[in-house]
Amino acid sequence: MGSRMCTWGALAMGIFWSALTLAADTTETAEQKAAAAPPAEAAELKIANRSVIVFRGTLLGETPELRSRRARAVIDEALAGDEDLQVSIDPIQKSYLVLLGYRRAFIVTPQDLEAGKNSVREAAEAAAENLRLVVMENGEARNVRFLLKAAGFSAVATLLFIGLLRAVRFVRRKLLDLIPKVMQRHTHLLQVGHTQIIDMQNLYYLVDRLLWLLYWALVLLFSYQWLSFVLSQFPYTRPWGESLNIHLLQMARYLLDGILGAMPGLAVAVAIFFIARGISDFMRSLLKRMARPGTISWLSHETLQPTTRLTSLAIWLFALAMAYPYLPGAGTEAFKGLSVLIGLMISLGASSVVGQAAAGLILTYSRTLRPGEFVQVGGHEGTVTEMGMFTTTIRTGLGEMLTIPNSMITGSVTKNYSRTVSGEGYVVDTVVTIGYDTPWRQVEAMLLEAARRTEGILANPAPQVFQTALSDFYPEYRLVAQAVPSMPRPRAELLSVLHANIQDVFNEYGVQIMSPHYLGDPQSDKLVPREKWYAAPAKESPDS
């Protein structure tokens, strides 16, 4: 009886092989026709939730969808039986026949190849391996003992998962209780002198957020692994568990490859920055030595600091440009887009900033102003207290602090009262207009007398009087003197005392101070008699 069945089986296989050979002979003609026709839509053959193969070509007039349905029907029928199924492949012309026992499961043709793969045999072997897994999992799904064992492993994994979650929560609570004590014990490490750099409350909040992120990262990782393990225990859900593992491994491999791939470039970038730091320190020391008197005329104590900053900035910008291609992610589109955005922002919004910085450099190296000098800029008068890259600060005689843009200083006339004096001090000047009926020699003598009476005005060099204009109705007299160095407020007081002395001297000698824009002389002189100098509420001082 067994020999008869083998004979009938061999006869059936022979007939089948003959039909397949005849079909294969017509395959080339069918393939030529299929090549001229539009490509059919691919269809996936999936058995028991596991993907076996994706059909992409039309075979003997059957579309991929029809081929998938026929193969599924054959495989389901074979799996429903109790026989021991073996999966094998046989070549047939340019295609491969995948056999499930004595049944033809499906045919793998060159049209079924995935893009980038050139071997039909490799595709057939991969499909056969997937079909073997289907056969094995079909047997496991019918095995009650295997299912009970899988359920037991899943229960143990679930208990372990719950224990890990509780352990992570317990460790997080213990760390939150321990951190304040550690912070209090090492609080001196976060102080500069007696000043706390970081507030303990803010630091505790930051650490709490970091622990919270770490806690949820571990929870998600454990949940992912638990779900992957449990799904892998049962035949039907095993493909899902395997895909989860594959995704996690691919992500870990991607991150590891990225880190390892970025390390050489990162090492080069770090080396460039260390070299730039060494060159910057060397240039700082070199410029400090070259700033000594008699070495370089334009490099002095005033220009040393901005020159050092500019040199360091140029070195670091060059180092950044050299290290940029080696930075991780420098070639990505996101990095390029960010670079373009930063460049656009600088080009649109930094024009005025660049202008101010250029004006600051001009003021620094032209030495128009220096801290401590008394100057007049655009109608503002005072002592220069600070010169920055973008602005200059001036303190007026009234105690006001003026912040003037450097571009305004370079674009206007600047009067420096501290440069033309001999020795230390600054220039003090004032203007009076007296009618032509008063002798100019008398006016000059009275102005010099008022200067001699003013404490703070130097006798050497001696004050001078200049007739700066001969107007229609009066000449203009300018008193120029040199005062001792003082703060801005005493200078304002000095001018006030000088003006008071000028009025007193002119009153003593009976000369009125007025600009005679008139039609005729006044009937009486506009003078203040001495006896009215201290009219109420003024009080005469003991020194008067």
Side-chain angles (χ1 to χ4, degrees), residues 529-540:
R530 187 178 183 87
E531 61 272 11
K532 293 185 178 180
W533 283 6
Y534 299 100
K539 296 181 181 179
E540 184 177 359

Side-chain angles (χ1 to χ4, degrees), residues 254-274:
Y254 174 78
L255 294 176
L256 185 60
D257 291 343
I259 293 173
L260 294 178
M263 287 183 65
L266 190 61
V268 174
V270 171
I272 291 175
F273 285 125
F274 272 110

Side-chain angles (χ1 to χ4, degrees), residues 374 380-383 394-402 488-489 492:
F374 193 88
H380 303 290
E381 198 174 84
T383 301
I394 292 178
R395 184 168 51 189
T396 67
L398 301 177
E400 302 170 335
M401 298 297 293
L402 303 180
R489 184 65 182 177

Side-chain angles (χ1 to χ4, degrees), residues 297-507:
S297 58
W298 58 268
L299 188 60
S300 60
H301 178 71
E302 292 83 6
T303 59
L304 175 61
Q305 185 176 5
T307 304
T308 303
R309 290 180 178 177
L310 288 175
T311 305
S312 298
L313 179 63
I315 292 172
W316 283 108
L317 287 178
F318 181 76
L320 181 61
M322 293 295 294
Y324 175 81
Y326 301 99
L327 294 177
T332 60
E333 295 298 328
F335 214 114
K336 295 177 182 178
L338 181 62
S339 302
V340 173
L341 178 61
I342 294 176
L344 184 62
M345 293 173 60
I346 293 176
S347 61
L348 293 178
S351 58
S352 60
V353 176
V354 174
Q356 296 291 351
L361 293 177
I362 294 173
L363 290 179
T364 299
Y365 289 99
S366 64
R367 303 181 186 178
T368 304
L369 306 176
R370 292 178 182 174
E373 293 182 340
F374 193 88
V375 298
Q376 182 180 9
V377 180
H380 303 290
E381 198 174 84
T383 301
V384 179
T385 59
E386 183 180 356
M387 291 184 61
M389 181 64 70
F390 304 102
T391 59
T392 297
T393 304
I394 292 178
R395 184 168 51 189
T396 67
L398 301 177
E400 302 170 335
M401 298 297 293
L402 303 180
T403 301
I404 303 176
N406 289 333
S407 59
M408 177 180 174
I409 300 176
T410 56
S412 61
V413 177
T414 301
K415 293 182 180 180
N416 195 321
Y417 295 100
S418 301
R419 293 286 178 90
T420 58
V421 299
S422 58
E424 296 183 350
Y426 53 87
V427 174
V428 176
D429 66 329
T430 187
V431 177
V432 294
T433 56
I434 308 298
Y436 284 103
D437 54 348
T438 303
W440 63 268
R441 294 176 181 85
Q442 182 186 15
V443 176
E444 289 186 4
M446 288 187 295
L447 290 175
L448 294 175
E449 175 63 24
R452 282 191 293 271
R453 293 184 183 182
T454 304
E455 184 180 359
I457 292 182
L458 298 178
N460 186 20
Q464 291 180 288
V465 178
F466 301 92
Q467 296 188 40
T468 56
L470 297 176
S471 301
D472 293 339
F473 302 104
Y474 53 82
E476 183 181 272
Y477 301 91
R478 180 179 292 271
L479 173 62
V480 180
Q482 181 174 337
V484 295
S486 60
M487 299 298 290
R489 184 65 182 177
R491 183 183 185 279
E493 295 176 355
L494 179 67
L495 284 175
S496 179
V497 173
L498 177 60
H499 292 159
N501 289 331
I502 290 174
Q503 294 181 67
D504 289 345
V505 172
F506 274 65
N507 282 329

Side-chain angles (χ1 to χ4, degrees), residues 151-375:
F153 283 142
S154 300
V156 172
T158 302
L159 294 177
L160 181 61
F161 169 66
I162 296 174
L164 287 175
L165 292 184
R166 292 188 175 182
V168 170
R169 186 181 303 173
F170 175 78
V171 172
R172 177 173 177 266
R173 289 179 179 176
K174 287 297 182 181
L175 288 176
L176 289 178
D177 294 338
L178 183 62
I179 285 174
K181 300 177 182 178
V182 177
M183 293 171 59
Q184 291 294 334
R185 191 161 54 248
H186 299 283
T187 183
H188 63 280
L189 298 177
L190 300 176
Q191 291 181 351
V192 176
H194 298 286
T195 304
Q196 192 77 22
I197 300 177
I198 303 177
D199 188 13
M200 286 298 174
Q201 183 177 0
N202 296 333
L203 182 60
Y204 179 79
Y205 177 78
L206 177 62
V207 174
D208 177 61
R209 294 296 92 186
L210 291 176
L211 289 177
W212 182 83
L213 290 176
L214 180 60
Y215 168 76
W216 281 109
L218 291 175
V219 168
L220 292 176
L221 179 61
F222 292 155
S223 301
Y224 192 95
Q225 287 296 320
W226 169 81
L227 182 61
S228 174
F229 179 82
V230 171
L231 292 178
S232 300
Q233 299 304 307
F234 299 94
Y236 187 81
T237 59
R238 187 172 298 159
W240 296 341
E242 292 175 352
S243 64
L244 290 178
N245 285 328
I246 291 174
H247 293 326
L248 185 61
L249 291 176
Q250 287 178 347
M251 182 181 297
R253 183 179 301 172
Y254 174 78
L255 294 176
L256 185 60
D257 291 343
I259 293 173
L260 294 178
M263 287 183 65
L266 190 61
V268 174
V270 171
I272 291 175
F273 285 125
F274 272 110
I275 294 173
R277 180 179 179 182
I279 296 176
S280 179
D281 293 340
F282 171 75
M283 291 302 300
R284 186 182 297 109
S285 177
L286 179 62
L287 291 174
K288 189 175 182 180
R289 291 196 301 269
M290 295 175 64
R292 294 172 183 172
T295 305
I296 298 179
S297 58
W298 58 268
L299 188 60
S300 60
H301 178 71
E302 292 83 6
T303 59
L304 175 61
Q305 185 176 5
T307 304
T308 303
R309 290 180 178 177
L310 288 175
T311 305
S312 298
L313 179 63
I315 292 172
W316 283 108
L317 287 178
F318 181 76
L320 181 61
M322 293 295 294
Y324 175 81
Y326 301 99
L327 294 177
T332 60
E333 295 298 328
F335 214 114
K336 295 177 182 178
L338 181 62
S339 302
V340 173
L341 178 61
I342 294 176
L344 184 62
M345 293 173 60
I346 293 176
S347 61
L348 293 178
S351 58
S352 60
V353 176
V354 174
Q356 296 291 351
L361 293 177
I362 294 173
L363 290 179
T364 299
Y365 289 99
S366 64
R367 303 181 186 178
T368 304
L369 306 176
R370 292 178 182 174
E373 293 182 340
F374 193 88
V375 298

